Amino acid sequence: MPFPIRSASLRKPSGLFAAAVAAAALLLPLRSVMADQSAAPALTVSLVTPAERDWPETVPASGWLKPWQEAIIASETSGLRVTEILADVGSVVKKGQVLALMSQDSVQADLRKQEAAVVTAQANLTKAKANADRARQLRPSGALSDEKIVEYLADEQTATASLTSEEAALDSQKIKLGQTTVTAVDDGLITSRSAELGSVVSSGSELFRLVRQQRVEWQAEVSARYLARISEGLSVDIDGPDGRIQGKVRLVGPSVDTNTSRAIVYVALPEDIHPRTGLYVTGTIELRTTPALTVPETAIVFRDGINYVFTRSEDKRVRRVRVETGRRNGGEVEIVSGLDTSARVVTSGGAFLSDNDLVKIAGEG
């Protein structure tokens, strides 16, 4: 008799073999498509050769924009009331310009009184001088005693001294009258006003404060290790509130902060630049010019804390190269190490590339 079970087991392998053949037939087109895709360019890129530039070495710094010099305008007299204020914060003033007025009534009264005292002293001197002249004329005749002659001559000297004293007091009153008019001590910008209308001021009270000549400087904090290389006249590039500002080192501070190990470098700004004071800004101080191998900033790919660039090989594939970067200037970055001067570097799109990718070169057929 036939054995159906054995017959069925003999037919089963033939079915599996047929299925395997069918699966292989299906996979062949897929492998062909994948092979075609792997041979297609990943991206169309542009290439550039690293450029050799002469760039200055720079020192980073940060600090405050402050007045070059401040002038404090204070009251020179006391006990007078402010009657008029002619300048406010933000006013640009000229040297000698009137800023405020004080009451003059009491000062003018004292001035008139002192003028009268001078007239009296002049009259006393005239009388004393006449007596002294008569005494000198009569001395040879003996008509006057020596004691009386000495008295007349002494009265003349006393009257002369008294007139000098009264005239000096009159000058003092005139000065006090002039002090009732508060004027600017220099050209500049008013940054503070303490004067209040109607207030009675005392001698030495601050009324106004101004930035002399509107000159602002940058007080940059720099690490002490750079001080030996920083000198007066070096160029400075400042990231100002309204754009970049070019300045010059005016003075290098003579001391170093013991807590921060940083020193102040005073940077003069152009006279026509008037940024707001009190702003904290950053910048760089240019030291000396040295060669730099540079590529566009867009060529740098930053991954896992490391800088890379992609370079093209002979088979139109790209290689990922680790590089060390340095200075940056005008959209370019310095390559300190890792790149040859003859390399062809991908200028952009590196973030979408992987090592050994096939690429198409822009401009090539």
Side-chain angles (χ1 to χ4, degrees):
M1 289 182 65
F3 297 92
I5 296 176
R6 181 178 296 176
S7 175
S9 63
L10 288 175
R11 288 196 299 270
K12 187 175 181 179
S14 63
L16 290 174
F17 178 76
V21 171
L26 291 173
L27 286 174
L28 284 176
L30 180 61
R31 289 177 180 174
S32 176
V33 170
M34 293 178 63
D36 291 341
Q37 289 180 345
S38 63
L43 194 69
T44 299
V45 299
S46 298
L47 302 178
V48 67
T49 302
E52 295 185 1
R53 313 283 190 192
D54 287 330
W55 279 1
E57 291 186 50
T58 58
V59 174
S62 57
W64 303 94
L65 291 173
K66 293 187 176 183
W68 162 63
Q69 286 184 6
E70 281 189 314
I72 296 176
I73 302 169
S75 171
E76 297 181 84
T77 187
S78 61
L80 298 181
R81 177 173 49 86
V82 178
T83 59
E84 193 170 356
I85 297 175
L86 302 174
D88 205 347
V89 174
S91 299
V92 178
V93 298
K94 297 292 184 180
K95 182 177 182 179
Q97 181 176 331
V98 178
L99 306 181
L101 296 175
M102 298 183 184
S103 59
Q104 298 181 348
D105 296 343
S106 61
V107 180
Q108 287 180 338
D110 291 339
L111 179 62
R112 290 193 298 270
K113 180 180 179 180
Q114 190 57 43
E115 288 174 341
V118 170
V119 173
T120 301
Q122 288 174 339
N124 291 335
L125 176 60
T126 300
K127 180 180 179 181
K129 184 174 178 58
N131 290 334
D133 289 342
R134 189 163 50 252
R136 281 189 284 268
Q137 290 175 359
L138 295 175
R139 176 180 287 177
S141 66
L144 289 176
S145 64
D146 291 342
E147 181 180 357
K148 200 64 176 178
I149 293 173
V150 171
E151 181 181 346
Y152 286 150
L153 295 176
D155 287 346
E156 180 187 32
Q157 292 179 346
T158 301
T160 301
S162 178
L163 177 60
T164 302
S165 175
E166 296 297 347
E167 288 176 339
L170 179 60
D171 291 339
S172 177
Q173 286 299 320
K174 289 179 179 179
I175 292 173
K176 189 172 183 180
L177 179 62
Q179 290 172 348
T180 61
T181 302
V182 180
T183 59
V185 297
D186 197 359
D187 297 350
L189 173 70
I190 301 292
T191 57
S192 172
R193 177 180 67 83
S194 304
E196 297 293 341
L197 190 65
S199 62
V200 177
V201 299
S202 58
S203 179
S205 299
E206 180 180 322
L207 302 178
F208 299 91
R209 183 173 297 209
L210 62 81
V211 178
R212 291 189 60 196
Q213 301 172 22
Q214 291 186 264
R215 287 177 57 185
V216 178
E217 68 179 9
W218 183 38
Q219 297 184 9
E221 296 184 359
V222 176
S223 176
R225 69 176 182 270
Y226 296 116
L227 291 181
R229 305 170 63 189
I230 299 176
S231 59
E232 180 181 343
L234 290 179
S235 297
V236 181
D237 195 9
I238 304 167
D239 295 323
D242 300 317
R244 288 189 174 271
I245 303 173
Q246 297 294 324
K248 296 285 185 182
V249 174
R250 179 178 69 85
L251 176 68
V252 179
S255 60
V256 177
D257 191 301
T258 55
N259 295 321
T260 63
S261 296
R262 300 174 75 83
I264 300 295
V265 175
Y266 299 86
V267 179
L269 275 56
E271 294 185 2
D272 59 339
I273 300 296
H274 309 296
R276 295 182 183 271
T277 58
L279 294 175
Y280 192 82
V281 298
T282 60
T284 54
I285 301 173
E286 298 181 0
L287 299 181
R288 60 188 181 89
T289 300
T290 55
L293 186 68
T294 69
V295 297
E297 287 183 334
T298 54
I300 303 298
V301 179
F302 189 73
R303 292 178 182 173
D304 301 325
I306 300 174
N307 290 310
Y308 297 95
V309 296
F310 283 91
T311 62
R312 194 196 73 164
S313 60
E314 295 298 330
D315 55 359
K316 294 188 178 182
R317 295 183 180 274
V318 291
R319 301 287 183 265
R320 191 177 72 172
V321 179
R322 178 174 178 173
V323 294
E324 298 292 332
T325 61
R327 295 166 284 180
R328 294 175 183 265
N329 185 18
E332 295 186 334
V333 60
E334 178 187 18
I335 303 300
V336 178
S337 64
L339 192 63
D340 188 76
T341 57
S342 61
R344 300 284 287 169
V345 179
V346 176
T347 58
S348 62
F352 303 100
L353 294 175
S354 299
D355 194 27
N356 206 41
D357 274 352
L358 181 67
V359 295
K360 181 179 180 181
I361 311 303
E364 293 186 0

